Each structure stands twice: as structure tokens, then as C-alpha cells.
Amino acid sequence: MEDIRDYSLLAHNTFGIDARCQRFIEYASVEEACRVARILRESDLPFFVVGKGSNLLLTHNYDGIVVHSAIRGSNIVEITEMPYNDIYVRYGSGVVWDDVVAESVAKGWHGAENLSLIPGEVGASAVQNIGAYGVEAKDLIFEVEAVDIATGEVVVIDSDDCGYSYRQSRFKHEWKDKFLITHVTYRFSRLFLPLTTATSVRPLLQKA
């Protein structure tokens, strides 16, 4: 776990602004995320969680704690057969989102193609419900794993409970600053069904 005082956020915002925070903490495992949650509970300082910082405009130094996930890696959770031929893959919240797309395309896991080149990380995909060309992260997200900051408990949240809508989720509203996301499991299809309109292919599959 990284825990650094008077830290430059230059590498954590795409505007390239050299603002500083009072304290920067980076967790690289679920256990470390639990430790960070305890620090946040016991600290009097404000905090916010940052990813790649593509939607972050820093106008001054931040007198608080900035938290970042460095949980990397992925693993296949489940593979299903007909009629859907789905594959469920679990990624660390600190994995770069475009790396997820690149890997899925290379391995024939379909569904994320339209979301190529979107900046950010896996954790942010679950918070922001990123989207492009008729596809949104919610179409792929199966479940989100996180640490509840108030209790330190590890929780698993079904995508249906995340309140996803266009560029929105409960993580941006009533759940803001409530969780440290550690992993996201996505459901890809092993069948190539290109989406060239704004209509999702998943309901079509379910009706088949």
C-alpha cells in the first residue's frame, strides 16, 4: 500500500495540472482496501477517489486524502454454453479500461468493442456507466465488489442494484463516497453479434 504525504496529482488528471493533495493512498488488494477504509473512517480529512482523472479539473491543491486503486489482474469466473455462450471475467478496479477492451477483442470475448479508447479504469466504468455507440458499461457489468467504508465489510453488488442509467449510477449519488471498488465482473459473449444501432442485442438474445 502506498501512503504518501504532500503528493502531486500530475499523473492522475488528464489536464496535466500539478495540484497537490495532503495525502495520497493507493491500495493494491482487497485487504489493503479494508485498511484504507479504516484510515478514512478515523481521519478528520475529506477524501475522494480518483481513477485516471479524465473528468477531473483541479483548480487548486486539495487539503484532504486522495485514494486510488492499483488492483490489477483478471481471471475467468465462469463460461456458459448455448444459447448465450457467455464468459464472465473479473478485473481489478485499477486495470485500464481500454486494456479490457483490447484483451476481450483479442480473445474473442464480444460486447465491449464499441467502448474502445474510452479513458479511465475498471472501477470508474462501474461508477460512471461509460458508454459509446449504443453500448453502456451496464450492458456488460455482472457484479461489482467493493469495501464499505463505514463498516470495512467486503460486499458484492449485483448490477441490477446499481441504479444504472445514461451516464449515471447509485455510486455517483446516494452511494457517493460509500464504497471503495475492488473488482468488477463483466459478462462477455463468445458469439459475435456486432451492435451497429442504439438497440441492445441482449434482449434479442433473451427472446430467442
Side-chain angles (χ1 to χ4, degrees), residues 95-107:
V95 174
V96 173
W97 168 253
D98 201 44
D99 290 346
V100 174
V101 179
E103 179 180 37
S104 68
V105 170
K107 294 185 176 180

Side-chain angles (χ1 to χ4, degrees), residues 75-79 87-90 143 185:
N75 64 284
I76 295 173
V77 176
E78 182 182 359
I79 300 175
I87 183 167
Y88 296 76
V89 188
R90 177 178 180 257
E143 63 185 20
T185 297

Side-chain angles (χ1 to χ4, degrees), residues 4-183:
I4 306 171
R5 309 300 175 114
D6 188 24
Y7 181 83
S8 171
L9 296 170
L10 181 63
H12 297 279
N13 71 99
T14 55
F15 286 103
I17 298 173
D18 191 16
R20 308 187 74 84
C21 61
Q22 186 169 329
R23 188 175 181 182
F24 176 83
I25 305 178
E26 187 174 71
Y27 58 92
S29 67
V30 174
E31 292 74 20
E32 290 185 359
C34 292
R35 289 168 57 192
V36 174
R38 184 175 66 252
I39 291 171
L40 297 178
R41 289 196 303 272
E42 295 174 352
S43 175
D44 294 328
L45 294 174
F47 72 91
F48 72 87
V49 180
V50 67
K52 296 293 288 185
S54 58
N55 291 319
L56 181 64
L57 177 59
L58 300 170
T59 59
H60 52 78
N61 292 339
Y62 181 64
D63 294 326
I65 302 172
V66 172
V67 181
H68 179 252
S69 171
I71 299 180
R72 313 281 191 237
S74 65
N75 64 284
I76 295 173
V77 176
E78 182 182 359
I79 300 175
T80 64
E81 302 302 330
M82 293 295 290
Y84 301 125
N85 280 290
D86 288 334
I87 183 167
Y88 296 76
V89 188
R90 177 178 180 257
Y91 284 89
S93 54
V95 174
V96 173
W97 168 253
D98 201 44
D99 290 346
V100 174
V101 179
E103 179 180 37
S104 68
V105 170
K107 294 185 176 180
W109 307 338
H110 304 293
E113 297 89 346
N114 292 21
L115 303 180
S116 178
L117 299 179
I118 294 179
E121 297 173 342
V122 163
S125 76
V127 174
Q128 301 292 338
N129 186 27
I130 58 176
Y133 304 108
V135 177
E136 296 176 274
K138 69 177 179 62
D139 300 324
L140 298 168
I141 294 173
F142 175 69
E143 63 185 20
V144 178
E145 297 171 51
V147 174
D148 187 320
I149 295 173
T151 65
E153 294 181 355
V154 178
V155 298
V156 179
I157 306 170
D158 188 273
S159 61
D160 290 339
D161 296 326
C162 294
Y164 287 124
S165 60
Y166 181 74
R167 303 295 188 274
Q168 300 296 325
S169 75
R170 298 180 74 181
F171 295 109
K172 295 180 68 174
H173 298 286
E174 66 263 40
W175 288 352
K176 185 177 180 180
D177 298 331
K178 180 177 175 59
F179 296 107
L180 297 177
I181 295 176
T182 60
H183 296 85

